[in-house]
Amino acid sequence: DAGVTQSPTHLIKTRGQQVTLRCSPKSGHDTVSWYQQALGQGPQFIFQYYEEEERQRGNFPDRFSGHQFPNYSSELNVNALLLGDSALYLCASSWAGVGYGYTFGSGTRLTVV
Amino acid sequence: RKEVEQDPGPFNVPEGATVAFNCTYSNSASQSFFWYRQDCRKEPKLLMSVYSSGNEDGRFTAQLNRASQYISLLIRDSKLSDSATYLCVVLGFGNEKLTFGTGTRLTIIP
């Protein structure tokens, strides 16, 4: 049973560029959440997608946007990259209505230079 | 005030020692509580859920005090393999958002 799959694993981008990160949830899960983890910090909630809609959003600017597809997979897009966007981006899947059972992917490490 | 606060450490303790981590949360409406473990450059993994009645899993004991909004984790007879960052995590009431503390870095010394 495949867990949460994220791609790519590592990425280097230049300031001002745009990036798209991808996530495939664990089988049976229909909800995808995205987190940003800066070095030395805990993960910070970006947003959550359920039924192809953004259900909740954390304190992140509009440069951060996302999408969920009918197969429950999700993308995180970041526009106009800043050096401060360098972080580990984690995707977590879960089943709607259940507060437990979150599964995290291994993350995408984004470096902005 | 941060929603979830924990001592960032680092904690450097000898093998076999007992170590305790503490965490406080600000939202009294929070409904569920967890400890996650994160190894260097890896994703967080659920260590255990935390209940008011206290729960134990082998060498690990977690406790929740709702009145004080305080969560604890105790590791007994620590092993080298326990070296990691331990994250205190809270799930809000009525939402699916996990709120993480900064994490406490633990290094077990041989």
Side-chain angles (χ1 to χ4, degrees):
Chain A
D1 180 24
V4 178
T5 304
Q6 290 188 243
S7 64
T9 55
H10 296 82
L11 201 53
I12 299 175
K13 289 286 190 178
T14 304
R15 276 179 300 174
Q17 285 188 313
Q18 178 265 345
V19 68
T20 298
L21 310 182
R22 296 177 175 82
C23 173
S24 293
K26 181 178 179 179
S27 178
H29 285 180
D30 59 6
T31 303
V32 173
S33 303
W34 287 92
Y35 291 81
Q36 180 196 65
Q37 186 174 24
L39 197 62
Q41 301 296 316
Q44 299 294 309
F45 176 75
I46 302 175
F47 42 52
Q48 183 182 84
Y49 278 85
Y50 171 66
E51 292 188 338
E52 302 180 49
E53 289 192 358
E54 184 182 289
R55 183 160 71 171
Q56 287 190 74
R57 188 178 184 91
N59 188 25
F60 279 80
D62 292 344
R63 298 187 296 108
F64 289 77
S65 63
H67 189 77
Q68 185 178 36
F69 300 93
N71 67 352
Y72 308 122
S73 66
S74 177
E75 289 182 348
L76 164 66
N77 301 292
V78 187
N79 295 321
L81 285 167
L82 303 173
L83 295 180
D85 294 332
S86 295
L88 178 67
Y89 287 85
L90 295 160
C91 170
S93 73
S94 59
W95 180 70
V98 178
Y100 298 82
Y102 286 87
T103 300
F104 280 85
S106 55
T108 294
R109 188 162 299 277
L110 172 66
T111 301
V112 182
V113 297
Chain B
R1 182 185 174 187
K2 290 185 178 179
E3 291 184 69
V4 179
E5 292 201 68
Q6 54 181 134
D7 184 343
F11 282 42
N12 299 313
V13 302
E15 194 174 5
T18 295
V19 60
F21 300 135
N22 303 314
C23 166
T24 57
Y25 61 96
S26 61
N27 187 347
S28 60
S30 300
Q31 64 171 345
S32 303
F33 309 88
F34 311 93
W35 284 100
Y36 275 69
R37 170 193 169 128
Q38 186 172 27
D39 293 294
C40 189
R41 304 179 77 82
K42 300 284 189 180
E43 73 275 21
K45 292 186 177 178
L46 179 64
L47 179 66
M48 57 198 305
S49 301
V50 189
Y51 308 110
S52 297
S53 55
N55 50 305
E56 188 174 310
D57 183 2
R59 299 181 292 107
F60 298 82
T61 300
Q63 187 73 52
L64 166 66
N65 183 321
R66 282 190 180 271
S68 301
Q69 296 179 206
Y70 172 93
I71 306 162
S72 65
L73 176 68
L74 188 74
I75 305 175
R76 292 180 300 277
D77 187 25
S78 54
K79 312 291 184 190
L80 294 176
S81 58
D82 294 333
S83 296
T85 295
Y86 291 82
L87 295 156
C88 178
V89 186
V90 172
L91 180 68
F93 179 80
N95 66 60
E96 304 287 332
K97 180 182 100 169
L98 295 176
T99 300
F100 288 79
T102 304
T104 300
R105 184 163 183 176
L106 172 66
T107 300
I108 305 300
I109 304 166

